[in-house]
Amino acid sequence: MDTARSLAPLVLAEYRRAFLLDVEQGRRHRILLPQILVCTFVLPVFWIAVPHHGRHWFYRSRWLVALLALLVNYEQTKRMSSTNAAWAVLSGLVGTYGTMLCFYHLIVTNPQRDAARVIRVAAGKSCEAPRPNSDEADLPPHASGTSTRACHGPPPATKRPVGAPCETASPTQPHFANSGNHDVESCYIWQRFPSEAPLLSRLGWATDLVLSFRGAGWNHSISVLPRPHTPKTIKDGERVDKSSVRLVSDCGFEYKHTLSAFLWHRLRLFAFSYLLLDFLGTFMMKDPYFVVGRERCVHHALPGYLVGLSSWRLEAYRQLLSISGAWAAVAAGYSVADMVSYGFASYFWPSRNIPWIYVSAVGSFGEVFDRGLAGFWGSWWHQTFRMCFMGPATFLYNMGVIRKRTATGSLVALLSSFAASGLLHSMGSLSAMPKTKLWSQPVFFLLQAAGIIVQQQLASTGRALFPNAGVILQRAANASFALVWLCATAAFFNDDMAAMGLWLLEPVPFSFCRLMGLGFPGDAAWRWDSTHYLFRWHSGSHWWNSGLTVGV
């Protein structure tokens, strides 16, 4: 137990010493703000904010901008890190996702021509009535590649066949976003790119576009979120049919219409995820696996309560803690981001303070029972990066290389989206302090694509052999396959997360578990020190290598 007690701080100190030695010798650099954001968000925002109409030469420069973002972001991912475990991994994620954003908004799509967002305006202003019988916009398919559905279908009480895609929302659904005083005093309209507006207005539009990862409140919103009916051709200033926005999509993503319900839900979720992260952060450090990874943990003793477990029970325990940690981090992150975004928009951006852009982090877990592994990844999980993961397939659609709703198109979309996910996560491994196996994350995500294909084939065979199988049996089979496949492949993901030292992060500043004595003897309840967990100013030899950083 003494060895286990001293293992985490010793390992973290070892990683930090190695990183600082690399910094001293010029092989790596500290993550600095705002430098890390320049080619990730700032460059595409400014490029999009410049009107392209009549400037064909400028529009062609998008390829150079995307190439510049790729080169700069890769260099940052490869060489920038931090003595803070999470900040180190975040460097790779931010740089890689910034490159994907540039590719999507600059190469795959033309936001100034096609994008439109919902804004709220005073009811006294001219609000054109919504077009009757407007069609849904043609959006990219699921990240799973198995469907192009819009998850706005019938309410939960209306059952659809197991495995079938959700249908498009009906404008006669009972739950609408048309109650509340602010809806009486205002209306919602579509706003296209304001090409003739002042620079600040154009920058605001472009910033909103780039930072809306799931597209909530935009005409290209991902299909699993609650959204209004979207005309194929949108007229600037056209009124939004807010009666078509359901409180809960058929995939289980929901928003709260009133401020009190929204804040209460986010505060409760944050409190629960905070306590869960506190519990996980306390007990993970007692298992050497979460400290040094699978390969090195065999040289260290297990805590007493794990010694008697069989190998498969120990593996199940570790997988449960790993997925719980991932879910809690996502839930806490979305809760804080939504509340901060709401407060910011209330005072500085009231036209975009729209209820349905604050959507829940994850969907309904019932999707796993309905669609198995495809439901887990394409309907239940958070879908934050879905638009950009679908970027390569959408680009091929636009170029006419593949066609939507064909077997080839679905297969390409499935494989490319999971390959992009594997690339993103592996770049987080690249920027981490210790060296890990960069192939581990891509293998895990490509195996998920393979699992979806296998399950689809098994389901097709099963329906042919047992045409009268009941819904309960089908749902049980879907969930069982997803569980077995995830458990069989999770080691590629979880082992890499442990090896990169991510769980060495203190996830919460104050630990109630350690306050109650559940940690190691001598553990303090306050976990964040000013050296590795708070922003500080780093002064480099030049202005371009000076900025805000976290860690030494």
Side-chain angles (χ1 to χ4, degrees), residues 171-344:
T172 59
Q173 295 300 337
H175 297 299
F176 299 147
N178 60 356
S179 62
N181 294 333
H182 68 272
D183 281 325
V184 175
E185 301 169 356
S186 61
C187 65
Y188 299 95
I189 63 173
W190 292 106
Q191 184 194 40
R192 298 176 62 86
F193 177 69
S195 58
E196 299 181 0
L199 176 61
L200 286 179
S201 297
R202 287 182 275 123
L203 285 174
W205 190 93
T207 301
D208 190 8
L209 173 77
V210 172
L211 294 182
S212 297
F213 294 164
R214 298 193 293 186
W218 288 80
N219 63 328
H220 56 260
S221 165
I222 61 174
S223 58
V224 297
L225 303 183
R227 58 180 181 174
H229 284 301
T230 307
K232 289 185 177 179
T233 302
I234 298 177
K235 178 181 178 182
D236 191 45
E238 181 178 356
R239 191 166 183 174
V240 175
D241 183 12
K242 65 185 179 184
S243 66
S244 63
V245 186
R246 294 189 54 219
L247 292 175
V248 184
S249 74
D250 196 42
C251 294
F253 287 85
E254 64 176 333
Y255 73 95
K256 304 298 181 181
H257 189 272
T258 65
L259 175 59
S260 58
F262 164 73
L263 291 178
W264 177 237
H265 177 269
R266 295 303 190 270
L267 286 172
R268 281 187 299 135
L269 182 60
F270 175 75
F272 176 76
S273 56
Y274 184 101
L275 294 175
L276 180 56
L277 286 171
D278 182 18
F279 172 84
L280 294 172
T282 300
F283 283 89
M284 278 181 167
M285 292 302 94
K286 297 184 178 184
D287 182 355
Y289 169 80
F290 294 105
V291 179
V292 294
R294 185 179 298 274
E295 293 182 356
R296 295 174 59 187
C297 74
V298 295
H299 304 297
H300 303 278
L302 289 172
Y305 60 90
L306 295 180
V307 170
L309 294 182
S310 61
S311 58
W312 74 266
R313 285 190 175 92
L314 179 62
E315 185 65 22
Y317 167 83
R318 289 168 171 172
Q319 289 194 14
L320 178 60
L321 263 61
S322 296
I323 186 62
S324 299
W327 178 88
V330 169
Y334 263 91
S335 298
V336 173
D338 282 349
M339 289 187 288
V340 171
S341 177
Y342 183 90
F344 180 85

Side-chain angles (χ1 to χ4, degrees), residues 507-542:
V508 295
F510 184 86
S511 173
F512 294 97
C513 288
R514 291 181 175 95
L515 181 65
M516 293 185 292
L518 298 179
F520 293 112
D523 275 353
W526 182 260
R527 306 305 300 168
W528 288 6
D529 61 79
S530 58
T531 303
H532 301 291
Y533 287 90
L534 300 180
F535 283 102
R536 67 177 185 86
W537 182 262
H538 170 74
S539 296
S541 55
H542 303 88

Side-chain angles (χ1 to χ4, degrees), residues 290-464:
F290 294 105
V291 179
V292 294
R294 185 179 298 274
E295 293 182 356
R296 295 174 59 187
C297 74
V298 295
H299 304 297
H300 303 278
L302 289 172
Y305 60 90
L306 295 180
V307 170
L309 294 182
S310 61
S311 58
W312 74 266
R313 285 190 175 92
L314 179 62
E315 185 65 22
Y317 167 83
R318 289 168 171 172
Q319 289 194 14
L320 178 60
L321 263 61
S322 296
I323 186 62
S324 299
W327 178 88
V330 169
Y334 263 91
S335 298
V336 173
D338 282 349
M339 289 187 288
V340 171
S341 177
Y342 183 90
F344 180 85
S346 297
Y347 289 96
F348 301 104
W349 220 336
S351 64
R352 279 290 284 171
N353 212 9
I354 301 167
W356 65 83
I357 70 174
Y358 305 106
V359 186
S360 57
V362 297
S364 169
F365 199 75
E367 287 294 299
V368 181
F369 289 88
D370 289 335
R371 300 176 59 226
L373 199 60
F376 181 93
W377 290 113
S379 306
W380 175 69
W381 198 230
H382 58 85
Q383 311 297 306
T384 303
F385 311 119
R386 176 171 169 163
M387 278 197 312
C388 289
F389 287 170
M390 286 301 303
T394 305
F395 178 75
L396 295 177
Y397 290 146
N398 296 341
M399 297 296 292
V401 178
I402 58 176
R403 291 184 298 172
K404 294 183 179 181
R405 301 177 181 88
T406 63
T408 300
S410 296
L411 180 62
V412 170
L414 176 69
L415 294 176
S416 62
S417 59
F418 276 102
S421 182
L423 174 64
L424 176 67
H425 289 82
S426 67
M427 292 300 99
S429 302
L430 179 62
S431 64
M433 284 184 286
K435 295 185 182 300
T436 67
K437 299 174 181 177
L438 296 181
W439 52 264
S440 185
Q441 301 272 7
V443 167
F444 169 75
F445 285 101
L446 288 175
L447 283 174
Q448 305 315 301
I452 290 173
I453 296 172
V454 170
Q455 184 172 17
Q456 288 175 340
Q457 296 304 313
L458 290 177
S460 178
T461 303
R463 284 191 293 268

